[in-house]
Structure formats: C-alpha cells, structure tokens
Amino acid sequence: MNKVILLVEDNPTDEKLTIRAFGKCNISNEVVVARDGAEALDYLFATGSHVGRDTTQVPAVILLDLKLPKLDGLEVLRRIRADSRTQTVPVVVLTSSKEDEDIARSYSLGANAYVRKPVDFAEFAEAAKTLGLFWLLMNEPPRQVR
Amino acid sequence: MTARAITKSAWSEQTSQLYPKFLSGELRFSKLTSLFGAVVTTRAPVIANDAPRDPRRGGLPPGHPSLDHFLGLPLFSGVELVGVLGLANASGGYSEATIEYLEPMVKACANIIAASRSAEAKLRGEAELQRLNTRLEAANAELAAFSYSVAHDLRAPLRGMNGFATVLLEDYGDKLGADGLDCLREIHSNAQKMAKLIDALLSLSRLTRSEMRPEHVDLSALASEVGRELAAANPEHHVELVVEPELECELDHGLARVLVENLLANAWKFAKHVPSPRVEVGKIDDAGARAFFVRDNGAGFDMAFADKLFSPFQRLHSATDFPGTGIGLATVQRIVHRHGGRVWAEGQVGAGATFHFSIPTRGST
C-alpha cells in the first residue's frame, strides 16, 4: 500500500493547487490534509479526531507550511522530531517566505528540505513533481524499527 | 525666579516665617521691577542702603519683613546669568568692599548652580536617549513583524490568482478564444509582477535590518566579477566594461556585492541598447574625499528629476523600455547611507549617467 502524503496547509487555495499539481504529475498517493498545526499532530499521534489511527503508518513525507493557526509549523516540526514515532519521517517545509530566519530555524529543527512555493503555477507544479519524485520514489526511508 | 536657597541664621521672629514658605517652593520672584529684578536687568550688583525709598524698589509682599538695606549680586557662569544672590539688613549697610569680600562665595554659588544644571541636562538627555531607543526598538520590532507578515501572507493570494488562471487555461483554454486567452496572460503577468515587487520590498527592508560588519573590500575585483556575470546574463549585448585598478573601500562584504550588482545592472540596463555600450568604474576626488563612480553612456536622465532616482518605486523611464522593479537605486542609497556615506547622480538625457558614492573610512567621518 502506498504511504500517504501529509499536507499541513491552512490555505484552501494552496491546498487545491498542491493537490492539482500532484495530480498533474501522476502522484497517486493519498494526500491527507491537516488544516492547522494541532490537527497535524492529532493525525501523526492518533489523538483528537484521529484517535485509533495506527501510528506505525507514518506518512511518506510531510509537507509543512510554517504560518499555521493554533500551532505554527516550526512548533509542529519540533514535536515531530521530539517523538520517536515520527523523528525520521521526512519533513519538507513548503511555505511562502524565503526569510533567512525561517530557513535557518527550519533546518535547525530538523527539516529535510525547504521549498518556497512559487507564485507561478507552472513552477509550483514543477516543484511538486520534483518533491514527489524525490521523496516518494528516490528516497529510501529508514525501515520502521519497532 | 525661584528661591533655591535661603539662610536661617541671624533671623528675627518675623523673618523666620519666610522659611517654611521657601521650603514649600512658594518663594518666587516674578517682577523684574524690583531690587532683585534690577540685578537681572542690569546684570550688575545692586546696592540699596535706603531700600524703602529706592526708586528701583517694587514693594514687598504682605507679611514680608521690612527691608532696610539690600545687596543683590548676579551669579554668572561664563556670560550666562544663572542666579541672583540677595542679602538684606546688615547693620551699616553694604558697600563695594562687601561685594569684593563676597566674590569667592558668589563664584562658588554660580559654579554650583551651573554644575547642577548641567547634571540635570545630562540626566534629561540620557532619559530622552533611553526613550528614543525604546521607541526605535519597538519600531524595528514592528517592521520585522510587518515584513514577516508580508513575506507569508501577501504572496499566497497571488499564488491563488495565478494558479487558478492557469487552471482555467489548462481546463477551458479551448473554449476561451484569443481574447480570453490574452486576458489570462494579463492576469498571469500581473500576478508575477506583483510577486516580484513584494520580493523587492522585502529585500529592501532586509537590507536595513541585517547585521553589518564593514571590512576591506577590493571594489575593482568585485566590479570585474559582477561585470562578468552581467555579460553572461546578457549575451545578446556586448557591453565594454572598464574598471580602474586598486579601488578599495571599507564596506560590509555582503552589502558591497549588492551595491555593486545594483549599480552595474542599472548601467547595463540603460547602456545596452546604444551602439557601443560602455560602462566605466573608477574614483574621483570629491572635495578632498575619495568618491567612486559608475558611468554609462546609455539613456541618461533629466537632472530635474535627479532627486527621484533613489526613491523606491520611482521610475524615470517607462517599464516597457527599461523593465525593473524601481528598487535598485533605492537599494544602492540604503547601503551607502548605512555605511554613513553619500550617493549622488549626474546625467543628461541621451548622454549617459554617472552614479557616485563615497564611504567614510574608519576613524574619520
């Protein structure tokens, strides 16, 4: 079974465009959308509305926006890396800004990549395609040790 | 005038009643037509040995002890009158000898007042500096928060507009016709333009917020390097670049590159369409101080608008002829100003432009 892509994104426009971009390049993995930081953690750790989910099923990749309601992206990232169940899951920060501070803090908290969402949709689709190919096909994640 | 000090010695019952009034700060002199006032207006000692009948007298407030003899002495700090010392009712009155006798004490009093005033002024200055600093810090924090919000929030709607215009093009392009497709292209290019403007604004604001570490910079090497990059990026136009050797300056390394890139890119942009484009980098003597320049033989500009050149988003040429965000020279000015320097431009329509900048060396101003 294909692993899911967890898209943490509060902006519905960006959500639609990201899913469309994946569709365009035939990435067929299920995309789970969390619309704020708290919901993302609920999904990952099977709490709140995701109680009972099997936490050994980790996403292939987490696409994480930084500016999110409730918990911001950097805090979500910190908690993902602090938990043994999710600490090796690839996290790609996918956000609007390219402020040096955002980039530096993302990497220092353990992000695997930082991608700025391009305004141009063709570029955006290309970025999604590259991300998908790399993290879903080329990258070898560590085997889950349990 | 407020009474700052009053002696209590050798007082009668009546004069003692003045003391609590003084302590409460109520002992004030507001009339200049009085014996005290005469000291202020003439800036000279006043001796009145027949005070009740002295023409300069201004009368006494109710309850004031009688004034028979009076001596008023001006207290000077340099040429500034900082106070008046008043004595009254010595038996036998006052004379020039009294003035001479009191001179050391008068000087001491004047010095004490002057010292106390300068200490107060210093304290006030420090408090004012502290207040301005706090305000500056708050303004900087607000600016940083504002930039953060611009970086994150302003681009998202553009992505939406651009993205869905593309969706329309991809999914319904065949139904739109030539005019419809043209409208979509307009939406697309305008969204792109705004995204570029936002990025330009952000990099401009980053310039003023970044840490700065001036060090020795080889401007000649930097200009040649940037020139090679520009030549590579504009292969269809050959621009001759002449860089004077040994141009050296004290600048923050990162900002120096941004400075040179913007000046040269500007020169390139305006020169590349003339028959033999040429860009020159060198130094001149500007009233004893060294100034660097970047000169081109391109489109030039009207000196009447020279002051607009360095304002963000002000353009002297149409965006069709010379595309750009209107932020390049504003960036140049900010970098030069942050180093305490000066930037100015000279030009003539059709005859090229010269941009000068001077940066003070460390240890001088």
Side-chain angles (χ1 to χ4, degrees), chain B residues 284-291:
Chain B
I284 54 155
D285 187 64
D286 171 48
R290 184 196 44 179

Side-chain angles (χ1 to χ4, degrees), chain B residues 107-137:
Chain B
K107 282 225 169 93
C109 286
N111 285 342
I112 290 167
I113 292 173
S116 137
R117 283 190 183 174
S118 94
E120 276 169 24
K122 194 170 161 233
L123 276 180
R124 267 199 310 274
E126 277 166 8
E128 175 70 4
L129 200 62
Q130 183 62 45
R131 200 179 59 80
L132 287 175
N133 246 336
T134 313
R135 262 174 53 185
L136 189 65
E137 272 166 26

Side-chain angles (χ1 to χ4, degrees), chain B residues 12-350:
Chain B
S12 65
E13 187 61 32
Q14 207 183 4
T15 54
S16 299
Q17 288 166 6
L18 272 179
Y19 200 70
K21 218 175 166 187
F22 156 71
L23 286 179
S24 68
E26 281 172 35
L27 202 55
R28 296 178 65 87
F29 302 86
S30 49
K31 267 190 353 192
L32 283 177
T33 51
S34 65
L35 289 170
F36 254 108
V39 182
V40 177
T41 51
T42 62
R43 297 167 64 86
V46 166
I47 297 176
N49 283 327
D50 188 11
R53 273 169 294 278
D54 196 286
R56 293 166 294 185
R57 69 187 290 274
L60 298 170
H64 194 285
S66 77
L67 205 65
D68 301 324
H69 314 304
F70 174 82
L71 172 63
L73 295 167
L75 304 177
F76 282 105
S77 165
V79 294
E80 192 194 355
L81 182 70
V82 293
V84 173
L85 183 71
L87 294 98
N89 299 350
S91 55
Y94 301 101
S95 67
E96 289 295 329
T98 331
I99 296 172
E100 209 169 296
Y101 174 70
L102 288 174
E103 201 185 312
M105 199 198 53
V106 166
K107 282 225 169 93
C109 286
N111 285 342
I112 290 167
I113 292 173
S116 137
R117 283 190 183 174
S118 94
E120 276 169 24
K122 194 170 161 233
L123 276 180
R124 267 199 310 274
E126 277 166 8
E128 175 70 4
L129 200 62
Q130 183 62 45
R131 200 179 59 80
L132 287 175
N133 246 336
T134 313
R135 262 174 53 185
L136 189 65
E137 272 166 26
N140 271 340
E142 264 172 43
L143 183 65
F146 177 75
S147 298
Y148 192 78
S149 169
V150 167
H152 281 273
D153 298 341
L154 240 52
R155 286 171 57 91
L158 284 177
R159 218 164 30 243
M161 281 183 237
N162 204 337
F164 283 100
T166 310
V167 170
L168 206 55
L169 183 72
E170 286 175 354
D171 294 0
Y172 304 94
D174 51 343
K175 298 191 181 71
L176 284 174
D179 282 355
L181 292 175
D182 203 45
C183 290
L184 282 183
R185 268 190 291 275
E186 285 290 336
I187 295 175
H188 180 85
S189 82
N190 279 290
Q192 289 288 93
K193 215 175 287 172
M194 186 159 168
K196 279 202 181 122
L197 286 176
I198 293 172
D199 283 353
L201 260 184
L202 284 174
S203 50
L204 192 63
S205 104
R206 210 174 294 131
L207 278 184
T208 26
R209 286 181 291 133
S210 64
E211 286 285 319
M212 209 175 70
R213 211 158 31 90
E215 54 190 345
H216 178 261
V217 170
D218 182 345
L219 272 184
S220 302
L222 183 57
S224 304
E225 188 184 322
V226 171
R228 277 193 297 277
E229 288 169 13
L230 280 166
N234 298 275
E236 70 281 15
H237 300 281
H238 176 73
V239 178
E240 185 192 358
L241 175 67
V242 184
V243 179
E244 189 179 321
E246 289 169 23
L247 300 176
E248 284 161 2
C249 199
E250 296 266 324
L251 284 165
D252 175 86
H253 206 79
L255 292 180
R257 184 163 236 287
V258 179
L259 172 70
V260 172
E261 274 173 0
N262 275 289
L263 281 173
L264 285 186
N266 188 66
W268 231 260
K269 178 164 73 182
F270 289 101
K272 67 184 182 187
H273 298 295
V274 303
S276 15
R278 184 184 150 96
V279 173
E280 207 184 323
V281 182
K283 64 171 186 292
I284 54 155
D285 187 64
D286 171 48
R290 184 196 44 179
F292 302 99
F293 68 82
V294 174
R295 178 177 299 139
D296 67 70
N297 61 347
F301 64 89
D302 183 346
M303 280 299 276
F305 305 114
D307 59 325
K308 286 197 163 177
L309 277 172
F310 298 103
S311 308
F313 303 118
Q314 290 280 359
R315 301 176 50 94
L316 298 188
H317 299 275
S318 85
T320 326
D321 296 343
F322 297 100
T325 50
I327 214 99
L329 291 174
T331 302
V332 165
Q333 188 187 49
R334 281 209 189 175
I335 293 174
V336 171
H337 283 181
R338 272 201 82 184
H339 289 84
R342 201 163 74 83
V343 62
W344 68 101
E346 281 159 15
Q348 204 185 323
V349 175

Side-chain angles (χ1 to χ4, degrees), chain A residues 11 13-14 16-17 20 24 66-67 95-97 99-100 102 116-121 124, chain B residues 148 151-153 155-156 158-160 162-164 166-167 170-171 188 192 195 199 206 209:
Chain A
N11 183 330
T13 303
D14 279 350
K16 281 186 210 164
L17 290 175
R20 184 178 169 97
K24 266 176 79 85
L66 286 186
K67 216 174 170 223
T95 191
S96 282
S97 98
E99 296 285 290
D100 293 341
D102 283 336
R116 189 193 194 196
K117 295 176 197 164
V119 164
D120 184 272
F121 182 69
F124 191 72
Chain B
Y148 192 78
H152 281 273
D153 298 341
R155 286 171 57 91
L158 284 177
R159 218 164 30 243
N162 204 337
F164 283 100
T166 310
V167 170
E170 286 175 354
D171 294 0
H188 180 85
Q192 289 288 93
D199 283 353
R206 210 174 294 131
R209 286 181 291 133

